[in-house]
Amino acid sequence: MPTTYTQPRYAFRPHPGGEEHAPLVIVGAGLVGLTAALDLARRGQRVVVLDEDDTVSFGSRAICFAKRTLEIFARLGLGDRFLAKGITWNQGRVFFQSREAYSFNLLPEDGHEFPAFVNLQQYYAEQWLVEACEATGLVDLRWKSRVTGVENHADGARLSVETPAGSYSLHADWLLAADGARSLIRETLGLAFTGQVFRDRFLIADVVMTAPFPTERWFWFDPPFHPGQSVLLHKQPDDVWRIDFQLGWDADPEREKDPERVRQRVKAMLGPDVPFDLEWVSVYTFRCRRMERFRHGRVFFLGDAAHQVSPFGARGGNGGVQDADNLCWKLAAVLRGEAGEALLDSYDAERIPAADENILNSTRSTDFITPKNAAARAWRDAVLELAEDWPLARPLVNSGRLSRPSTLWNSPLNGPDEMPGLAPPGTPAPDAPVMRGERRDWLLRHIGADGGFTLLAREVTPVPLPGITTLVLTDTPRPGTLLDHSGLAAARYGLSPGECVLLRPDQHVAARFTTAAPAPILAARDKALGHGPLGR
Amino acid sequence: MTQLRTAPRLAEPDEFYAALMEAHRALDDAASRKLDAKLILLLANHIGDMTVLRQALAIAQGGKPEE
């Protein structure tokens, strides 16, 4: 049982039963479902969330929250909590047998509010999301509410919900399925989920200890304390350390979960003199697979329900949060009547390539970490042996290619790029330090903050445009503008005086203009709202 | 675009072959495989051109010269 964290228990409220109708329903109050609920609520939408449990997830699970994910949580008002509690790390070390083969530094660029990664147990993120959802007054969190059936109709989905107080039927105009890798919604609707199974097993141990290890990501290939397999060590808050032991396919999952056996493994790793407690243990296998499409009429699949990756690279939780970021502004725009339903097809157009990128990277990492035959092992060991002395081999060492945000290169929503070069349409908006009056501030805090489109203009004040918030960057202090005192904002967006960039509500570049003339900007905004042909 | 050079270029082919055999002589299968892998990694980095490397890979997999 966890000793460093007390799981909250959320109240179950009995439902009167019968038939009910709701515009927006999310199934799954996990990391991704809660992110979507909060995002939609902050856009003024009422949301019903169904979850079969009455608490947050158990064990550390997703632990590495990537920069883009932190920026999304900052947009949702939770950025400071992640920074304050999370463990920021930049240094990674890779060991081969008893020697260090190679180390890397993520070398985060200066002038961003958020670091490359913070480590945090998933339950904290979920707890904060629940609190923030409740504070909106718009999220109806229904705990102990298990979906037992779903029908997909042209005008929405009909759910059968089972609770301790009885069953009821819930008709959702729009349904977001964030119910995890074994999604009942996906399985009930008979939708395929295909890809590669990896014949390997891993043991996760959350260990409490005050250890002398630095705040770094350590990865061992074939270490003396766990021969022939790999081990990954991450530091988390509360002196909790996450250790992933590769076990091989023949391991017996039940036997491996035996706490005494896990203790022996950890002891072999830490040495006899390091006291520790076990918080949580789990044995898992993994797959890399995805659904053919994530939108099915009025049902959307997000996170692990839609796509599954191996854990190397921190691409599961981060990918899922980015799904929610992508979908929610579009759905809110449709519900407000600002966009047609065709806009929602762009969720597939934008998030399927992102899922493929994550699957490709995590599959390659897995192939390196888990050699499939003698030749693959020889190659991997050759890379690791060379890496210690020869830099040429280091780029080939693959202990996980860590999550990076996907650029929406071929999105049908992308508008013109009148000054090609930096931050092309589809790019997640780069952050930069700015000054607002005497106060130090960050550019991203002002982009999408009001839920709408933003026009970022340098040294020019565009005429006010309906539905677009104007943000003026200046080189010298001027009231009502953001001072680009370091020049980093102009540099990162490639903006010369008089030029401007249109940004989507999810902080992605929509289009780039050499002047602030209204007509092309409004046309690009309309395109980004899905008005007009959406063919790829 | 650079092409894989397929005309003979080694001034001392027998010497190269003998050096390879010598390197493998005392090794078991696993060590031999690792030696070859290191050699290919070093040479691939020297070549540094994915097009050329793909051409070499295709020939190694049984590709035939174009007529």
Side-chain angles (χ1 to χ4, degrees):
Chain A
M1 278 304 287
T3 53
T4 59
Y5 179 75
T6 307
Q7 286 201 300
R9 292 284 162 192
Y10 301 116
F12 163 68
R13 288 181 288 265
H15 188 276
E19 299 267 328
E20 190 192 347
H21 170 262
L24 271 170
V25 175
I26 296 174
V27 178
L31 182 68
V32 177
L34 290 168
T35 301
L38 181 58
D39 202 349
L40 287 163
R42 286 172 64 96
R43 297 180 188 283
Q45 303 297 326
R46 289 195 172 278
V47 192
V48 173
V49 181
L50 304 171
D51 194 275
E52 59 187 333
D53 207 348
D54 66 348
T55 185
V56 295
S57 68
F58 203 68
S60 57
R61 301 167 74 98
I63 53 167
C64 296
F65 290 85
K67 178 171 181 289
R68 178 64 202 140
T69 302
L70 297 172
E71 289 166 354
I72 293 166
F73 286 133
R75 182 172 63 69
L76 299 174
L78 294 171
D80 292 343
R81 295 194 85 165
F82 279 81
L83 276 189
K85 181 78 185 176
I87 301 257
T88 299
W89 62 274
N90 292 308
Q91 185 78 29
R93 286 186 199 282
V94 176
F95 300 87
F96 179 47
Q97 296 167 349
S98 52
R99 303 162 71 91
E100 180 174 328
Y102 152 73
S103 72
F104 59 90
N105 193 310
L106 297 170
L107 280 183
E109 194 180 46
D110 280 341
H112 293 261
E113 182 173 10
F114 291 97
F117 284 95
V118 308
N119 286 358
L120 181 77
Q121 296 90 321
Q122 182 171 329
Y123 42 74
Y124 281 113
E126 291 182 8
Q127 185 190 327
W128 301 339
L129 284 163
V130 167
E131 289 166 16
C133 280
E134 282 172 344
T136 64
L138 293 172
V139 182
D140 182 355
L141 285 162
R142 300 187 186 175
W143 305 101
K144 292 273 180 210
S145 301
R146 195 159 68 90
V147 174
T148 55
V150 57
E151 294 165 31
N152 193 6
H153 300 289
D155 64 344
R158 175 169 293 277
L159 298 165
S160 306
V161 186
E162 204 175 87
T163 78
S167 308
Y168 64 97
S169 164
L170 180 60
H171 184 275
D173 291 343
W174 300 93
L175 176 66
L176 275 57
D179 52 347
R182 286 185 290 268
S183 169
L184 179 128
I185 310 279
R186 187 192 65 232
E187 287 176 4
T188 307
L189 295 178
L191 300 169
F193 197 41
T194 52
Q196 196 178 350
V197 184
F198 292 90
R199 291 170 62 83
D200 206 340
R201 295 186 202 281
F202 289 80
L203 168 75
I204 305 179
D206 280 355
V207 166
V208 190
M209 60 175 176
T210 42
F213 297 109
T215 304
E216 298 177 345
R217 177 190 195 263
W218 285 17
F219 195 102
W220 287 264
F221 290 98
D222 193 15
F225 58 83
H226 193 53
Q229 309 285 8
S230 67
V231 177
L232 173 63
L233 175 72
H234 266 291
K235 186 178 188 178
Q236 304 177 83
D238 309 332
D239 290 325
V240 176
W241 297 74
R242 156 81 164 262
I243 311 172
D244 289 48
F245 292 95
Q246 184 187 12
L247 298 175
W249 183 241
D250 297 329
D252 173 351
E254 285 315 309
R255 194 164 153 252
E256 294 297 342
K257 271 188 269 194
D258 172 20
E260 200 34 54
R261 192 173 170 83
V262 178
R263 273 193 199 96
Q264 289 307 320
R265 291 202 185 282
V266 176
K267 205 175 206 172
M269 175 179 174
L270 302 174
D273 304 324
V274 180
F276 64 88
D277 288 319
L278 273 186
E279 279 239 305
W280 179 64
V281 170
S282 172
V283 173
Y284 65 95
T285 57
F286 57 82
R287 296 153 191 263
C288 287
R289 54 183 174 173
R290 71 160 167 87
M291 300 176 73
E292 194 182 339
R293 287 178 291 124
F294 302 163
R295 178 185 181 190
H296 290 265
R298 291 187 158 212
V299 181
F300 297 86
F301 291 85
L302 296 85
D304 284 357
H307 44 74
Q308 219 187 333
V309 293
S310 84
F312 305 107
R315 290 168 179 272
N318 288 305
V321 169
Q322 288 164 41
D323 288 345
D325 179 50
N326 187 281
L327 178 60
C328 291
W329 71 270
K330 296 173 182 173
L331 206 45
V334 170
L335 286 161
R336 284 196 303 261
E338 293 165 9
E341 293 188 19
L343 173 63
L344 301 170
D345 286 335
S346 70
Y347 176 63
D348 271 348
E350 295 185 339
R351 290 310 297 171
I352 286 175
D356 285 345
E357 197 176 305
N358 287 330
I359 288 171
L360 177 72
N361 277 290
S362 81
T363 301
R364 287 175 171 175
S365 300
T366 307
D367 283 341
F368 190 87
I369 291 163
T370 309
K372 302 291 175 294
N373 53 42
R377 177 167 291 268
W379 272 95
R380 191 201 69 184
D381 290 354
V383 167
L384 291 167
E385 280 180 17
L386 283 176
E388 187 177 345
D389 293 321
W390 302 97
L392 66 95
R394 292 174 196 161
L396 295 164
V397 175
N398 191 343
S399 69
R401 298 288 182 227
L402 294 166
S403 171
R404 299 184 50 77
S406 173
T407 298
L408 314 171
W409 291 113
N410 297 308
S411 170
L413 307 185
N414 288 349
D417 188 354
E418 293 182 0
M419 54 281 189
L422 293 162
T427 313
D431 201 2
V434 291
M435 299 286 290
R436 190 165 41 135
E438 295 298 305
R439 293 181 51 182
R440 302 177 74 83
D441 207 341
W442 296 100
L443 180 60
L444 273 191
R445 291 184 182 178
H446 298 271
I447 295 172
D450 60 358
F453 283 79
T454 306
L455 185 66
L456 179 67
R458 180 175 174 203
E459 289 290 331
V460 61
T461 304
V463 296
L465 299 169
I468 300 176
T469 303
T470 298
L471 204 57
V472 179
L473 279 175
T474 52
D475 300 346
T476 51
R478 237 183 309 145
T481 68
L482 294 178
L483 174 65
D484 185 15
H485 59 289
S486 63
L488 282 173
R492 286 180 183 159
Y493 286 85
L495 279 179
S496 297
E499 296 180 339
C500 56
V501 175
L502 181 67
L503 295 146
R504 307 184 347 177
D506 61 355
Q507 299 179 327
H508 281 68
V509 175
R512 300 162 52 82
F513 304 97
T514 50
T515 74
I521 295 168
L522 289 170
R525 193 271 317 267
D526 288 348
K527 189 175 189 214
L529 280 171
H531 302 302
L534 270 177
R536 293 188 74 193
Chain B
M1 193 165 51
T2 317
Q3 295 287 314
L4 181 76
R5 300 196 205 177
T6 51
R9 282 170 44 77
L10 293 171
E12 299 288 350
D14 289 350
E15 190 183 329
F16 168 68
Y17 197 82
L20 264 183
M21 293 308 105
E22 186 55 37
H24 281 283
R25 193 177 309 280
L27 302 182
D28 63 13
D29 281 357
S32 264
R33 271 194 151 137
K34 202 154 68 182
L35 173 75
D36 284 340
K38 286 184 180 174
L39 202 54
I40 295 168
L41 286 168
L42 290 160
L43 298 174
N45 186 69
H46 180 82
I47 293 163
D49 182 331
M50 197 61 206
T51 310
V52 173
L53 294 172
R54 282 198 186 282
Q55 288 169 1
L57 196 57
I59 293 173
Q61 287 175 300
K64 296 281 181 268
E66 285 175 29
E67 292 303 315

